[in-house]
């Protein structure tokens, strides 16, 4: 029985290479490519699996790249529910310039899906016989898929008696919040865009998160702040995590690692502050990992001792 089911409507294979220097026109000789499964929900499932949770990712695949994606996920010991797509699964490309240490990320759009293809993903979710604790929908929405797709995922989660967790942005996030969910994980830019304010201070950020929680749109808001750390806010409590002092090698996968750590710990019935600490440690581990790698369990365990969180706001009952 999966504790966590993830839905990825715009999956990908992430390709990572090293290159000496990025320059226009000339040929740039790269290192052998490293290929990893990609797409928000798939990455969340991979992280949660590494941290001991039972997971089941659902996603569409198309063409030879889609078949490779499925094999790469299975190679990590994760069984998937896949649905067919008439279009080739997309690829993303990241190049690390060795001379500067800068990363260049090229994120390709997903191809347009027919209505029958995205509906098949929802049908797979609806037809689950076992009821998960959490249903996580994460990532972008490709052309042809309605903006309320993640809201529909949340609706199916409620039918299963599961908690819906959403990590997306723009109209897809707004539609999911209109449906009402258990957890969202925006970054600062995504939340500021949603509320229409810059949110420069923690006080403003907590107020914005609390408004969502108190209004029934999201019970928990996990707000990632990059090098500033993170906030975790409910209707009556808020915690602040300080950033760990580690050398950032790559930010790719940090957000997915954060969410995977959070949901895996909650699925293990641990308290919310404990889940927040694991999430911060997982994100920090991912930042310390080169390329498109995610967090590593042994490093998450090691970093946990260094994670500092404090309660910063509480409303008395």
């Amino acid at each position: 029985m999966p504790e966590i089911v993830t839905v990825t409507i715009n999956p990908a294979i992430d390709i990572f290479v090293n290159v000496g220097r990025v320059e226009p026109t000339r040929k740039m000789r790269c290192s052998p490519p490293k290929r990893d499964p990609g797409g928000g929900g798939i990455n969340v499932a991979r992280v949660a699996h590494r941290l001991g949770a039972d997971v089941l990712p659902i996603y569409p695949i198309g063409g030879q790249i889609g078949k490779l994606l499925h094999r790469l996920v299975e190679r990590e010991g994760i069984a998937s529910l896949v649905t067919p797509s008439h279009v080739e699964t997309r690829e993303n490309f990241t190049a690390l310039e060795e001379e500067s240490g800068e990363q260049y990320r090229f994120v390709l759009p997903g191809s347009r899906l027919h209505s029958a293809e995205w509906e098949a993903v929802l049908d797979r979710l609806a037809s689950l016989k076992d009821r998960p604790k959490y249903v996580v929908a994460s990532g972008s929405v490709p052309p042809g898929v309605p903006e309320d797709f993640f809201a529909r995922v949340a609706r199916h989660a409620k039918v299963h008696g599961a908690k819906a967790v959403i990590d997306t942005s723009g109209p897809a996030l707004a539609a999911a919040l209109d449906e009402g969910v258990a957890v969202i994980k925006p970054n600062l830019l995504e939340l500021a865009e949603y509320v229409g304010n810059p949110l420069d201070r923690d006080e403003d950020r907590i107020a914005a998160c609390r408004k969502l929680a108190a209004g029934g749109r999201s019970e928990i808001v996990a707000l990632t702040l990059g090098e500033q750390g993170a906030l975790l806010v409910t209707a009556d409590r808020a915690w602040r995590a300080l950033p760990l002092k580690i050398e950032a090698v790559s930010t790719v996968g940090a957000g997915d690692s954060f969410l995977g750590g959070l949901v895996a710990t909650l699925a293990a019935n641990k308290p919310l502050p404990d889940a927040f600490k694991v999430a911060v440690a997982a994100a920090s581990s991912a930042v310390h990992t080169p390329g498109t790698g995610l967090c590593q369990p042994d490093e998450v365990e090691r970093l946990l001792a260094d994670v500092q969180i404090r309660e910063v706001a509480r409303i008395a009952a």
Side-chain angles (χ1 to χ4, degrees):
M1 179 186 299
E3 300 169 296
I4 302 166
V5 171
T6 69
V7 177
T8 311
I9 196 59
N10 201 18
I13 284 182
D14 291 329
I15 302 174
F16 176 81
V17 298
N18 289 352
V19 61
R21 183 179 178 183
V22 176
E23 295 181 86
T25 308
R26 65 180 290 268
K27 292 181 179 179
M28 294 173 287
R29 304 296 180 182
C30 301
S31 65
K34 180 179 183 293
R35 290 180 171 86
D36 291 307
I42 291 175
N43 283 340
V44 170
R46 294 169 63 208
V47 169
H49 173 73
R50 292 179 186 185
L51 298 179
D54 293 321
V55 301
L56 179 65
I58 305 174
Y59 52 95
I61 59 171
Q64 294 304 311
I65 298 175
K67 291 178 181 178
L68 175 60
L69 172 63
H70 190 193
R71 290 199 301 272
L72 289 174
V73 174
E74 288 192 324
R75 190 177 296 171
E76 296 192 23
I78 300 172
S80 303
L81 283 181
V82 298
T83 60
S85 168
H86 78 288
V87 292
E88 193 82 29
T89 298
R90 69 188 177 120
E91 295 174 296
N92 295 323
F93 184 79
T94 300
L96 172 65
E97 185 181 57
E98 296 172 338
E99 184 176 297
S100 66
E102 296 288 343
Q103 284 192 101
Y104 295 84
R105 300 178 63 183
F106 301 88
V107 180
L108 304 185
S111 298
R112 180 175 294 274
L113 296 182
H114 296 323
S115 59
E117 293 170 332
W118 61 260
E119 287 172 353
V121 174
L122 293 178
D123 289 343
R124 282 286 195 171
L125 175 61
S127 63
L128 291 176
K129 294 181 180 180
D130 296 320
R131 295 193 169 190
K133 294 180 180 179
Y134 289 88
V135 174
V136 182
S138 178
S140 57
V141 177
V145 177
E147 292 176 348
D148 71 342
F149 178 83
F150 284 3
R152 299 184 193 212
V153 171
R155 214 168 297 145
H156 284 298
K158 292 174 184 177
V159 171
H160 284 304
K163 293 183 180 294
V165 181
I166 303 296
D167 183 11
T168 190
S169 60
L173 173 61
L177 287 169
D178 287 343
E179 175 66 27
V181 299
V183 183
I184 60 169
K185 190 215 68 64
N187 60 35
L188 183 57
L189 180 62
E190 291 165 345
L191 183 63
E193 180 184 64
Y194 175 78
V195 302
N197 292 311
L199 303 178
D200 294 326
R201 304 180 305 157
D202 270 6
E203 293 85 349
D204 300 328
R205 298 162 183 170
I206 292 170
C209 294
R210 182 159 282 160
K211 186 175 181 180
L212 292 176
R217 290 174 174 265
S218 182
E219 297 171 21
I220 300 167
V221 180
L223 179 62
T224 54
L225 303 170
E227 60 185 15
Q228 298 180 51
L231 284 163
L232 190 73
V233 182
T234 67
D236 56 359
R237 303 182 74 177
W239 293 269
R240 183 68 160 89
L242 300 176
L244 295 184
K245 295 180 179 179
I246 60 174
E247 182 180 355
V249 177
S250 170
T251 59
V252 179
D256 294 333
S257 293
F258 180 101
L259 189 57
L262 183 77
V263 177
T265 311
L266 290 175
N269 300 315
K270 299 294 179 63
L272 190 53
D274 290 355
F276 189 30
K277 288 187 69 173
V278 173
V280 173
S284 300
S285 171
V287 167
H288 201 242
T289 304
T292 54
L294 301 169
C295 67
Q296 297 299 324
D298 55 347
E299 189 170 34
V300 172
E301 186 67 29
R302 180 180 64 80
L303 290 171
L304 266 176
D306 298 325
V307 175
Q308 298 180 46
I309 67 169
R310 67 178 190 276
E311 191 159 8
V312 293
R314 185 168 187 173
I315 298 176

